């Protein structure tokens, strides 16, 4: 018996629609000429360490002398009296005290030296060394007290 034909939307949706594909569509893809990095190598995920700042430039050491006094208007030229530990030195102005120190000038408050390896000026305060000298002389007199028998 022939089936009655119905044109309902339900019947049309139930039937599968078959489309014919004649050939697959291929999209063109450009590949890089050379890969710049290895894809499967181990990677460091932390940022690179910060470089430490450069060290400060070298500085002259403190002057190893204490100011004792000076002699003005001597025939050889003005002389400064210095002490290094228990050794008395009497260099003239503008002369070399040791291989590392040169005495440049003197004024009412300070004595000016140059540290020769770095060619760096260093100032020695007269007031500071005078106070240190007074403390040293008090300590020396205490050491030299005769023992009572």
């Amino acid at each position: 018996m022939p089936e009655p034909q119905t044109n309902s939307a339900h019947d049309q949706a139930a039937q599968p629609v078959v489309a014919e594909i004649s050939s697959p569509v291929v999209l063109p893809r450009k590949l890089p000429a050379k890969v710049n990095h290895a894809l499967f190598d181990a990677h460091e995920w932390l940022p690179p360490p910060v470089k430490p700042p450069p060290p400060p430039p070298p500085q002259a050491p403190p002057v190893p002398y204490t100011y004792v006094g000076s002699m003005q208007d001597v025939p050889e030229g003005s002389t400064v009296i210095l002490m290094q530990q228990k050794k008395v030195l009497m260099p003239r102005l503008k002369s070399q005290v040791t291989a590392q120190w040169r005495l440049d000038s003197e004024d009412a408050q300070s004595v000016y030296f140059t540290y020769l390896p770095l060619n760096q000026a260093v100032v020695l305060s007269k007031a500071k060394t005078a106070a240190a000298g007074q403390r040293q002389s008090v300590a020396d007199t205490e050491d030299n007290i005769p023992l009572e028998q």
Side-chain angles (χ1 to χ4, degrees):
M1 181 183 270
E3 289 186 27
Q5 289 187 351
T6 57
N7 287 336
S8 70
H10 178 57
D11 290 338
Q12 288 177 357
Q15 295 177 357
V17 176
V18 177
E20 288 186 31
I21 299 177
S22 62
S23 64
V25 177
V26 177
L27 299 174
R29 179 177 174 194
K30 290 184 180 179
L31 295 175
K34 183 178 179 183
V35 177
N36 292 334
H37 61 281
L39 297 175
F40 299 105
D41 278 352
H43 294 282
E44 181 66 36
W45 297 106
L46 297 174
V50 178
K51 291 182 181 178
Q59 295 292 320
V63 178
Y65 312 112
T66 54
Y67 176 79
V68 177
S70 65
M71 294 188 297
Q72 304 293 328
D73 300 327
V74 267
E76 296 87 29
S78 296
T79 303
V80 176
I81 304 169
L82 302 171
M83 211 164 164
Q84 182 179 20
Q85 297 171 349
K86 293 189 177 194
K87 183 179 177 183
V88 176
L89 303 169
M90 296 178 60
R92 290 187 215 117
L93 292 178
K94 308 280 186 199
S95 69
Q96 197 166 331
V97 181
T98 62
Q100 296 181 338
W101 293 97
R102 181 180 66 221
L103 176 62
D104 293 329
S105 64
E106 172 190 21
D107 63 18
Q109 294 84 24
S110 303
V111 181
Y112 300 93
F113 292 89
T114 298
Y115 183 66
L116 297 173
L118 298 176
N119 199 25
Q120 197 171 46
V122 182
V123 179
L124 176 65
S125 172
K126 289 182 179 180
K128 182 178 171 184
T129 58
Q134 289 173 354
R135 285 194 303 267
Q136 182 65 35
S137 64
V138 170
D140 288 342
T141 57
E142 289 174 357
D143 291 342
N144 295 330
I145 297 174
L147 296 174
E148 294 180 26
Q149 296 177 354

